[in-house]
Each structure stands twice: as C-alpha cells, then as structure tokens.
Amino acid sequence: MSNLRFQVVGEAFRKKPFDVTAPVERPCEYFGKKVFNREKMYKYLPKNVYAKMVDVIENGARLDRDIADAVAAGMKQWAQEMGATHYTHWFQPLTEGTAEKHDSFIEHDGKGGMVEEFSGKLLAQQEPDASSFPSGGIRSTFEARGYSAWDPTSPVFIIDDTLCIPTVFISYSGEALDYKAPLLRALKAVNQAATDVCHYFDPDVKKVVANLGWEQEYFLVDEGLYSARPDLLLTGRTLMGHDSAKNQQMDDHYFGAIPERVAAFMKDLEIQALELGIPCKTRHNEVAPNQFEVAPIFEECNLAVDHNMLLMSLMKRVARKHGFRALLHEKPFAGINGSGKHNNWSLSTDTGVLLHAPGKSAEQNLRFAVFIVETLMGVYRHNGLIKASIMSASNAHRLGANEAPPAIISSFLGKQLSELLDHIESADKDNMLSMQGKQGFKMDIPEIPELFIDNTDRNRTSPFAFTGNRFEFRAVGSEANCASAMIALNTAVAEALSNFKKRVDERLAAYAGRPEYAEGTGHTAKFHAIVDILREDIRTCRPIRFDGNGYSDEWVAEAERRGLDVEKSCPKIFERYLAPDSIQMFESMGVMTRKELEARNEVKWETYTKKLQIEARVLGDLSMNHIIPVATRYQSQLLQNVSSVAAVFPPNQAASLSARNMKLIAEIAQRTSDIERMVEELVEARKQANRIVDEHQKAIAYHDTVAPKFADIRYEIDKLELIIDDAQWPLPKYRELLFIR
C-alpha cells in the first residue's frame, strides 16, 4: 500500500471548493438569527405570555402549563417562517453526547388530509425510550418509559429544518438520566447558598448566577488521511505511530498564522455558531501542530453547557464540509499536547461579580475573600470528587502530560491573593483587608503604552487556578460534557457556603448582647463573626493551595502528605462519587440521590471498560491484519535481495553487502514475533476481565491488566515503522497527519 494513496485522497479534499461567504451583515446583526430568544419571544408571543416567560427565565418562577400552548404557537410560527418542518426534544443522556428524535409538524385533520400542529403538550413533554440509553440499572430493557421535559431557561434553536428544544431527561420513577437535570439543581443550590451569604453584605441581592466560559481545544486532520486510520475512526486516537521528526518542539505553531484552509473552516464555524447564539470570540492556533482553539464570551452556566455541546456537534459537521475531521479526543496523538476544555467559572449577582477584587471598600474586599475561601473549601473538602468529575478513559492520557495539569486537584492563587489570605488569618482586624489592583508597568520604549499587570500570574500546571475574577478549571477534557465538572463544583461550593452561613449565624447568636460588639464600637458582631469563621476556613483549606510545579515528583509526595487525593487509576477515582461525604453533599443540596449516584457510577465504569475493549480489539486487528503482513512482506523482499546478492557476488563480498539487510531481517523477525505474543496476551487478559460480572471490578481489571499492554505493543510497531519501506507502510504517519498542506 503506497503513501501516494493518502496524498491523492488528501489532495482531492484540498481542492474541494469551499463556500464560506460571510453574510453581508455584521456579526451583531445575524447573532441569534436561528434562536427563539427574547427578541423573537416579544414578537411572536402575547404580551402576558412573554412577561411570564421572562419571569420564569430571570427569576426562576414556576412554569405554568397553561401558557405552553401559546408559546408553542409562537415558536411554530417563527420556526416555519425560518423553513423548519420538524421539531425535536434535544437532550444530553449519559453517553457524553446529545440525543434527538425528529417529528414533523403534521397531524391528521380528520378529513383525509393533514394539518400542521405543534401543541404545548408536545413542547413541554415527550417520551424517549429510557431503556435504550445508559441508566446504570435504573431502567431495565422491559422498563422503557422515560420523559424529556422542556427547559425554558435555554432557548430553542433551529438546525437545518428542525426546531430543537433543550430538555431534561428523567426516568419513569423520576431519577435524572442526563446531565442537565442535576446541573440545574446544582445551579439552584449555589444560587440559594450564595445569595444567603451575600445578604451579610448587601440585602438587596436577589440572585447569584454561576457563569462559565469554556475554551474548546481540538485537532483537525485531512478527511482522507483520517479514513485511512482505523484507530482514529473507531477510537478517536492513534493507537500507534512514531513521533514526527518535527512536531511542537520549535514552538512555532502556537498563536502562529492560521493556515488558509483552517481559517476558512473557522470562519464558517463561527458564522453558524453566531447564528445559533453561541458568542464565539476567540480563535487561534494551539501549541501542537494541527491543534486549535475556539472560545466564547462567558455565559450563564446552563446555557454555556448547552452551547458547548451544540458547538462540538456543529464543529464535526462543518469540518467535514471543509475536507477535515475534527478530533475532540483528549490525546489523539502521543508525544505532543493533548486537548482540554478549560472551564472559566465565576459567580455574579444582579449587582456585580463576586470574585472581582479589589473592591472600593473593606466590606467589598471581605465579601471577595469570603467567596474565594469558601470556593477553596468546597474544592478542598471534595478534591477527590472534583477529580472524578473530569476523569475519563481518554482524559487520563492527557492529565500530567505536555502542559495539562496533573491528576491531583490543587489551586493556584498567586502571590498577592495568597498574601491577602495569610494577612487576614493573622493580622489585626482593623487593617487586614487592603488589596492592590492592577499595577502600571512602563517599558523603556517610548512608543509602547503603559501596561497594567494583573494581581495574579498564571500557573499552567494548576488544575484550578485563580486568574483575576474567576477560577480556571484547567483539568476538564476536550471531549467531556462541561456539566459533569460544573455539577460537582457548584454543589461543593453551595455546600461550603451553606456551612459557612450556618457557622456565622451560630457565632452571631453567641455574640448577641456582648458589649464589645455593640453598635458604635468599631466593628459589629456580624463583622467579627464573619472574620472569625473566615479565618478558620483559611486555615482548614490551606492544603489545597499550591503555587509551585505540579509536574514535580516532590509535589506528588507533598500532596499525599497534605491529605489530597493522589489516585491515578480512573476506575478507582470514580469511587469518590460514592464516598459518604459525596453522597451526603449531593443529597443535602438536593442535586442527586444515592440511587442516581450509584447508577451514574455503573455507567462510568461500563463506559470505561467498553472504551478500552474497543481499543484493545482495534489494536489487535491492526497488529495482526495490517502491520505484521506488511512487515513479513518487506522481510521477504529483503530475503530475496540477500539471495540475489549471494548469487552474484563472492561469499565474503555478498556477506558485507547484505549485512544491513540481514540485520533488518532479524529485527523484523524478532519484533513481529514479540507483537504476536503480546497480542495473544492482550486477548487473554481481555477474556479474563470479561468474565468478571461486577462492572466496578471489571473496569479495574481492564485498567490493571489490559491497558498496560497497549504501550508495549505500540513500542514494537513504532520501531517497525522506522525500518519498513515507507511506500509499504499501511497507515498515514504522524508527519502526514499533523501538518495541513
């Protein structure tokens, strides 16, 4: 098989004409064109219905079913004017993707004809087959009923000819079978807990919103080359492949000029994303070759999650239109950077951002310190769970390698914020809340304006770093649903804030009537109670604070000494969901029940096993049916050459001329023999693991006995790649996959 085939296929795609003509309008004019947003609601809904919908969206008011018919009528009118003929409930099952079933607007009219209908009943509720999605045992095969229910806080949108309605997905008995339902509960919990704490500082705060700004990293490869790699096609990553002589070591791809074909893809993607209301703002080359990033302006967390899921689906469609395949796997190529999805998380009220500092007063700075510390408290108390929320079979390849944060959760605060917390912990209460803002910095170049330096640096090895007015949760994987991390984080912070308020109120009750805390004595009892509890929590969560090198061996030992979770086995990390403190947290905050948590873990363990199962089978197939036949064929050619040389030249000269070929023949024989043996061992290990009934123990067996064999087989194949005739090698190589031409 010749590499010429790969080149020809790739060339066919490269010459494909692209239609990426931007609309004549500016982006702000077509933003949200395909979204039933506030503007469309105001136009297509009766005024009283519009007012009720705004109350539901802004204030969390209960949605009355009696307005659903009016909303459905307005939606249908708008959708049909946009060319839509079908509708679907769009939800996020536990498959890490999205699901949809399209129905047309038509119904029988009772007279032998058809009528176009879309009722409030169809808008508000539908019935997908709950036994056909992962449920972790909540639904059996014969228990098929499940419900999808409209989420009015996330606006409907149109894809092609279909009206898509964001929904939650629950079982017949009420358990959540998706990511959106527990996410909405977690956001409700953090809203309530944070609002209660805000009232210590500002009684007029009405609500607290969790914000999310994700940064989606991805790779692009030529469609033709992708199709010639069964491992990419079936697993999302390359199971073999020797390093390219040049990859990312020159640092020339990061923020470099965007290749023309990629720029055309990005432009097309952004136009379609903006039409769907996804506020894409940033695009650039990432560190690894063929790696790129797209990032939006931050949004309310639930909407941001929906937009990310929508964008990942859109990205794959648009990439194919441009002759590419978009790779979202966290580590599609060994030896270079993997892809993450940094989750920039913050809290804001109807009066401002809670994590923004410094404030204009000591009280604002105290509020800032409280929310910083209670966020750290939540992450510290549940650092193992936070890690479990971002762990997967694919993200495990990325964590701790090539700029990705390690599989230990810690938080980088930077020098100034760390000093502030240390100062609060030990200083006199009268002068402990001063904090400097951005500082001016002048360069000795007259033409360059004054720079403003942030009060924190960045630490690229920190999984959870404070970066000015938000925490950047860097450990989230590129393929993941952001909701998993956001459910755990928001629930942990909600619990920490609830616990903080409970203890402050208890301290306030203890201080009641004490003359030293009376009005006019300098500081109120409330101030002293808040500071006292804050100091306790600063001391308690100190182990989670780490500003150093997260890659060092010393940090692993130090983290273990601090009591942080240092487990690296993916199946064992999932156990943190079922730890007593995790179950208590989720149940007390009203986010998930023990039954739901147990079911989700069954899904996680089963998914982990299946992914490794598929990889093992693909690796075995490629080894035995692609690599070894090519290797032995090349070996036969070398043997024929040796025989021909021996027939022509004297023995001594023939031996000298054939020395290199004889060495290659022996090496190929040894390596193919080792590959055959190791594949047999891999198959046997898989058979042994498959006999285990318990999903938890089966996943552990796959991690411990199956996965370790991948690297050994790959090593031998990658060595063969270096010595076998390039024209005969059956798979596109890294040097071809990683550089767009």
Side-chain angles (χ1 to χ4, degrees):
M1 187 180 296
S2 170
N3 276 342
L4 179 60
R5 181 175 72 86
F6 307 135
Q7 296 166 8
V8 169
V9 173
E11 188 66 25
F13 279 106
R14 285 194 292 278
K15 290 182 178 178
K16 184 177 178 179
F18 303 132
D19 179 16
V20 293
T21 304
V24 295
E25 308 100 328
R26 293 176 299 170
C28 61
E29 294 174 322
Y30 60 84
F31 177 74
K33 174 183 177 181
K34 297 182 178 180
V35 182
F36 195 68
N37 52 22
R38 296 279 186 93
E39 178 187 359
K40 314 294 191 332
M41 286 195 293
Y42 186 80
K43 178 179 179 180
Y44 289 92
L45 301 182
K47 288 185 178 180
N48 65 317
V49 174
Y50 171 78
K52 288 183 179 179
M53 284 296 296
V54 171
D55 192 29
V56 169
I57 295 169
E58 289 191 349
N59 304 316
R62 182 170 293 278
L63 177 65
D64 297 326
R65 290 291 291 266
D66 60 1
I67 72 168
D69 282 330
V71 176
M75 280 184 185
K76 180 171 77 82
Q77 181 184 351
W78 167 73
Q80 289 181 322
E81 290 176 5
M82 294 290 293
T85 58
H86 290 67
Y87 64 91
T88 182
H89 274 203
W90 182 83
F91 56 98
Q92 300 167 30
L94 302 179
T95 59
E96 301 297 332
T98 58
E100 51 196 70
K101 174 177 70 73
H102 297 193
D103 290 303
S104 69
F105 288 124
I106 62 172
E107 296 287 348
H108 283 294
D109 66 358
K111 303 175 184 177
M114 290 290 184
V115 63
E116 294 178 338
E117 283 189 0
F118 181 56
S119 66
K121 178 182 178 182
L122 296 174
L123 167 64
Q125 179 178 320
Q126 288 193 17
E127 188 181 317
D129 187 344
S131 68
S132 298
F133 291 100
S135 69
I138 288 179
R139 297 271 81 191
S140 299
T141 303
F142 62 89
E143 296 174 319
R145 197 179 298 276
Y147 300 107
S148 56
W150 174 35
D151 170 20
T153 64
S154 184
V156 303
F157 54 90
I158 292 175
I159 296 287
D160 295 330
D161 63 353
T162 303
L163 178 69
C164 300
I165 305 158
T167 59
V168 300
F169 181 41
I170 62 172
S171 73
Y172 177 72
S173 46
E175 294 89 1
L177 296 176
D178 70 342
Y179 284 100
K180 181 182 279 283
L183 176 63
L184 290 173
R185 295 172 191 159
L187 296 176
K188 178 183 177 182
V190 79
N191 171 29
Q192 183 62 58
T195 300
D196 288 345
V197 172
C198 279
H199 287 165
Y200 287 137
F201 307 96
D202 183 356
D204 294 329
V205 170
K206 295 181 177 62
K207 66 177 180 179
V208 173
V209 174
N211 300 311
L212 171 62
W214 39 264
E215 304 170 26
Q216 180 70 57
E217 295 176 343
Y218 61 97
F219 283 84
L220 292 175
V221 297
D222 273 311
E223 174 117 31
L225 301 178
Y226 171 90
S227 299
R229 291 285 312 216
D231 48 355
L232 272 181
L233 185 69
L234 297 176
T235 74
R237 74 182 182 105
T238 53
L239 299 176
M240 58 193 67
H242 198 280
D243 289 349
S244 171
K246 178 185 184 297
N247 47 50
Q248 68 185 46
Q249 67 265 46
M250 298 301 295
D251 301 319
D252 55 346
H253 190 257
Y254 190 48
F255 280 20
I258 298 172
E260 184 178 354
R261 290 179 61 211
V262 177
F265 156 77
M266 288 179 169
K267 182 177 181 180
D268 198 356
L269 176 65
E270 286 181 3
I271 291 170
Q272 295 191 45
L274 289 167
E275 288 181 339
L276 288 166
I278 306 171
C280 292
K281 183 175 179 65
T282 301
R283 65 189 186 196
H284 63 83
N285 290 4
E286 258 299 336
V287 175
N290 276 20
Q291 187 185 33
F292 309 95
E293 180 179 295
V294 58
I297 302 170
F298 75 89
E299 300 178 281
E300 184 275 328
C301 188
N302 176 46
L303 181 59
V305 169
D306 282 359
H307 278 169
N308 182 248
M309 297 302 292
L310 179 57
L311 182 101
M312 288 194 291
S313 176
L314 186 65
M315 182 182 293
K316 293 175 182 178
R317 295 176 59 199
V318 176
R320 296 197 69 176
K321 173 182 173 183
H322 291 262
F324 291 124
R325 283 296 185 117
L327 305 181
L328 296 176
H329 192 288
E330 282 79 3
K331 198 73 171 180
F333 302 102
I336 61 175
N337 278 20
S339 295
K341 179 153 47 195
H342 305 165
N343 278 204
N344 294 280
W345 172 90
S346 188
L347 295 173
S348 63
T349 74
D350 43 323
T351 61
V353 180
L354 290 175
L355 303 184
H356 182 71
K360 297 178 181 178
S361 67
E363 185 174 63
Q364 288 178 328
N365 285 340
L366 180 58
R367 184 185 71 173
F368 165 76
V370 165
F371 278 92
I372 289 290
V373 171
E374 294 314 310
T375 297
L376 295 177
M377 281 292 288
V379 174
Y380 169 61
R381 284 175 173 155
H382 299 285
N383 69 93
L385 172 68
I386 298 294
K387 179 166 65 175
S389 75
I390 56 88
M391 184 55 70
S392 67
S394 51
N395 204 23
H397 292 289
R398 163 182 169 261
L399 295 178
N402 301 92
E403 284 198 0
I408 301 171
I409 299 298
S410 64
S411 184
F412 167 84
L413 298 181
K415 180 180 179 182
Q416 189 175 359
L417 184 51
S418 293
E419 289 178 350
L420 173 68
L421 297 188
D422 293 342
H423 189 57
I424 292 174
E425 183 181 354
S426 59
D428 182 87
K429 292 181 181 179
D430 289 325
N431 60 358
M432 66 179 189
L433 291 170
S434 61
M435 184 174 181
Q436 292 182 327
K438 293 186 178 182
Q439 302 299 303
F441 176 77
K442 291 185 178 180
M443 301 181 68
D444 292 329
I445 306 174
E447 295 84 358
I448 303 299
E450 182 179 21
L451 303 178
F452 287 94
I453 308 303
D454 288 283
N455 52 34
T456 65
D457 199 349
R458 289 181 180 269
N459 185 330
R460 299 189 68 82
T461 69
S462 177
F464 194 73
F466 185 71
T467 55
N469 59 2
R470 65 195 181 277
F471 282 95
E472 185 179 14
F473 194 2
R474 295 178 53 83
V476 183
S478 57
E479 199 173 37
N481 187 325
C482 299
S484 179
M486 292 296 101
I487 291 166
L489 176 60
N490 283 291
T491 308
V493 173
E495 183 194 51
L497 289 167
S498 297
N499 182 268
F500 175 81
K501 184 177 187 302
K502 177 184 176 183
R503 289 182 294 139
V504 169
D505 288 347
E506 290 172 350
R507 194 66 57 92
L508 274 171
Y511 289 168
R514 290 172 58 170
E516 63 268 33
Y517 300 135
E519 293 290 342
T521 57
H523 288 305
T524 63
K526 181 176 72 172
F527 174 84
H528 284 280
I530 290 172
V531 171
D532 288 347
I533 301 303
L534 181 62
R535 284 176 164 176
E536 291 177 7
D537 288 352
I538 290 173
R539 287 189 288 271
T540 299
C541 70
R542 182 175 292 277
I544 204 70
R545 291 162 49 188
F546 177 66
D547 289 1
N549 179 11
Y551 285 167
S552 69
D553 294 335
E554 292 79 8
W555 166 233
V556 177
E558 171 64 16
E560 189 169 15
R561 187 191 66 78
R562 294 185 184 192
L564 302 180
D565 193 309
V566 297
E567 179 62 63
K568 293 184 178 180
S569 166
C570 188
K572 292 181 179 178
I573 290 170
F574 289 152
E575 296 170 8
R576 308 312 185 242
Y577 272 98
L578 300 180
D581 58 343
S582 297
I583 294 173
Q584 196 278 331
M585 178 193 76
F586 281 119
E587 291 192 330
S588 66
M589 294 293 104
V591 175
M592 283 188 281
T593 65
R594 176 189 290 269
K595 184 177 181 181
E596 289 173 318
L597 290 167
E598 290 173 343
R600 281 162 193 269
N601 260 34
E602 284 291 305
V603 173
K604 288 178 181 292
W605 286 318
E606 186 177 6
T607 300
Y608 178 86
T609 296
K610 287 179 177 178
K611 284 188 175 182
L612 265 64
Q613 236 172 21
I614 293 169
E615 290 186 352
R617 294 168 75 173
V618 171
L619 180 58
D621 171 59
L622 287 176
S623 300
M624 302 303 294
N625 299 321
H626 292 67
I627 304 303
I628 288 181
V630 168
T632 53
R633 189 181 308 127
Y634 183 59
Q635 184 185 46
S636 297
Q637 293 176 2
L638 294 176
L639 285 166
Q640 182 62 44
N641 178 267
V642 170
S643 298
S644 299
V645 169
V648 174
F649 294 96
N652 288 343
Q653 189 177 1
S656 175
L657 292 172
S658 299
R660 178 179 180 276
N661 283 353
M662 289 300 297
K663 181 180 178 182
L664 291 178
I665 290 166
E667 182 177 351
I668 291 172
Q670 183 61 56
R671 294 196 186 280
T672 54
S673 175
D674 288 344
I675 291 170
E676 287 179 335
R677 173 181 53 80
M678 288 188 288
V679 169
E680 289 178 2
E681 293 173 355
L682 175 65
V683 171
E684 183 59 31
R686 200 174 77 238
K687 287 179 179 179
Q688 293 288 342
N690 289 340
R691 295 190 183 103
I692 301 173
V693 176
D694 181 80
E695 291 294 346
H696 183 194
Q697 295 305 315
K698 184 187 291 185
I700 291 175
Y702 261 86
H703 176 274
D704 293 348
T705 66
V706 177
K709 299 184 185 303
F710 291 5
D712 293 337
I713 296 173
R714 176 177 188 146
Y715 177 82
E716 299 298 332
I717 293 174
D718 289 355
K719 289 297 184 181
L720 285 176
E721 181 183 320
L722 292 177
I723 62 175
I724 290 177
D725 181 5
D726 182 67
Q728 296 185 43
W729 191 251
L731 303 172
K733 297 182 178 181
Y734 272 25
R735 67 166 183 258
E736 296 157 333
L737 291 166
L738 287 173
F739 297 95
I740 292 173
R741 294 175 293 279

